[in-house]
Amino acid sequence: MSRWLTEAVPRGRVAAFRTLTYLFVAADLVVFTPWVRTRVAVPGELYRPLLVGRLLPLPTPDPALVAVLFWALLLLALLAATGRAPRLLGWTVFALYFEWMIVAMSYGKVDHDRFGLLVALAVLPTAGRARHGDATRTEAGGWALRVTQIAVICTYFLAAWAKLRFGGLDWLTGSVLARAIIRRGTELADLIASVPYLLIVAQFGIVAFELLSPVVFLLRERWRLAMVGFFYSFHLVTMATITISFAPHLAAMTAFLPLERVRPVVWARRLLTGRGRDTGAPAGAAPALAGQASAAGRPDGP
């Protein structure tokens, strides 16, 4: 078990995952959860902190607290995305984002799509330094990614458990998806809803998929990536039909992907410099001068 939990991965994968995660935190503040800043307009007596907020305890949000949280988290998340001071910036970003989520979720609604992201923020500081493109393997980084993967799969499995615990078998045979389509469905959802019993079949399929999600850890890499691709397609269909976004969960799920192969900076540099074009010679090879004999023994040029 310990070998599986600490299976070494390239440091480049850790660096890419770290950059993506912290950039998502910055985007989350301005794209997905800017509404948290409006919580300061809500009377303080309506603030019902989560259990962790009561245990610490944390202050009731006010305009000053939320403003400091927003700007400090935005700045530090962008700095952390560079990979500098991974422990200091990493722990600070985690603490600030944790408080940001407590403020967001202490007014009656708790989203379960942020569990994996919170776990990723908690374990990334333990991975140490990592540079993009570094093929050296690290067990500490492998542990951070594995724990994030477990959190992602727990999100699915425990969601199914909650459905059956609180809804029972009626969740499977009821009108859960029908109500969701009525509330926030798209034209595509209306087409699906018009097919008899298809929504009931979909509800059985959703619970089966969530209960079987831990199987991803038993698959070889090729099939594991295919299953993760299915996870992403499931959320794409969810967004296209009932407009529910699981963006934080999808960001955390990149822990399954070989992100070290994604090198946008290198690709952009090659595009700008013209390197890597199909010239018949390896990239970086100097072109033969006119009149100079080639490897075949014939002079180049006209």
Side-chain angles (χ1 to χ4, degrees):
M1 175 62 77
S2 61
R3 290 182 60 186
W4 179 76
L5 283 173
T6 60
E7 183 179 359
V9 299
R11 292 184 184 274
R13 183 178 305 183
V14 178
F17 181 68
R18 171 180 287 148
T19 297
L20 187 151
T21 300
Y22 290 130
L23 287 179
F24 178 84
V25 169
D28 187 42
L29 296 176
V30 297
V31 177
F32 300 106
T33 59
W35 48 266
V36 176
R37 302 178 71 183
T38 66
R39 290 291 185 258
V40 298
V42 178
E45 56 268 21
L46 297 180
Y47 176 67
R48 295 291 185 270
L50 303 174
L51 176 61
V52 65
R54 299 193 299 272
L55 292 177
L56 290 180
L58 296 172
T60 300
D62 58 29
L65 173 64
V66 174
V68 169
L69 273 177
F70 177 84
W71 291 110
L73 187 53
L74 182 61
L75 174 61
L76 293 178
L78 292 175
L79 288 175
T82 67
R84 293 180 173 83
R87 291 182 176 84
L88 176 61
L89 289 175
W91 289 121
T92 305
V93 169
F94 167 69
L96 292 174
Y97 191 77
F98 191 60
E99 169 63 0
W100 183 258
M101 285 294 98
I102 291 175
V103 173
M105 306 301 167
S106 293
Y107 291 87
K109 181 179 182 292
V110 179
D111 296 330
H112 69 284
D113 63 341
R114 296 176 181 275
F115 177 61
L117 181 65
L118 280 168
V119 170
L121 293 175
V123 298
L124 269 174
T126 69
R129 294 187 177 276
R131 297 182 60 184
H132 289 273
D134 189 350
T136 306
R137 293 186 168 266
T138 166
E139 290 186 352
W143 180 82
L145 292 181
R146 182 71 78 200
V147 171
T148 303
Q149 293 171 1
I150 293 173
V152 167
I153 298 305
C154 282
T155 300
Y156 288 130
F157 188 84
L158 295 177
W161 173 257
K163 290 179 178 68
L164 297 177
R165 178 187 176 189
F166 296 106
L169 295 179
D170 289 340
W171 197 98
L172 300 171
T173 59
S175 56
V176 177
L177 290 180
R179 290 198 300 269
I181 290 173
I182 292 172
R183 289 179 54 208
R184 51 194 306 165
T186 64
E187 293 182 1
L188 176 60
D190 293 336
L191 291 175
I192 295 174
S194 64
V195 180
Y197 300 107
L198 183 56
L199 295 183
I200 300 297
V201 173
Q203 288 168 185
F204 273 91
I206 289 171
V207 172
F209 141 65
E210 291 175 336
L211 289 176
L212 293 174
S213 59
V215 172
V216 71
F217 293 120
L218 304 178
L219 302 177
R220 295 184 180 274
E221 182 179 7
R222 178 181 178 183
W223 293 106
R224 183 169 62 249
L225 292 177
M227 190 168 182
V228 172
F230 170 77
F231 293 166
Y232 276 104
S233 66
F234 168 78
H235 291 288
L236 178 62
V237 172
T238 301
M239 186 63 188
T241 53
I242 54 178
T243 61
I244 295 179
S245 170
F246 279 77
H249 178 80
L250 301 183
M253 196 156 59
T254 59
F256 281 100
L257 305 180
L259 295 176
E260 71 276 11
R261 302 177 189 174
V262 182
R263 303 293 304 280
V265 175
V266 174
W267 296 343
R269 186 181 298 124
R270 288 176 178 173
L271 181 64
L272 292 174
T273 59
R275 291 180 59 187
R277 291 180 296 185
D278 187 11
T279 59
L289 298 177
Q292 182 178 346
S294 65
R298 297 185 297 273
D300 292 317

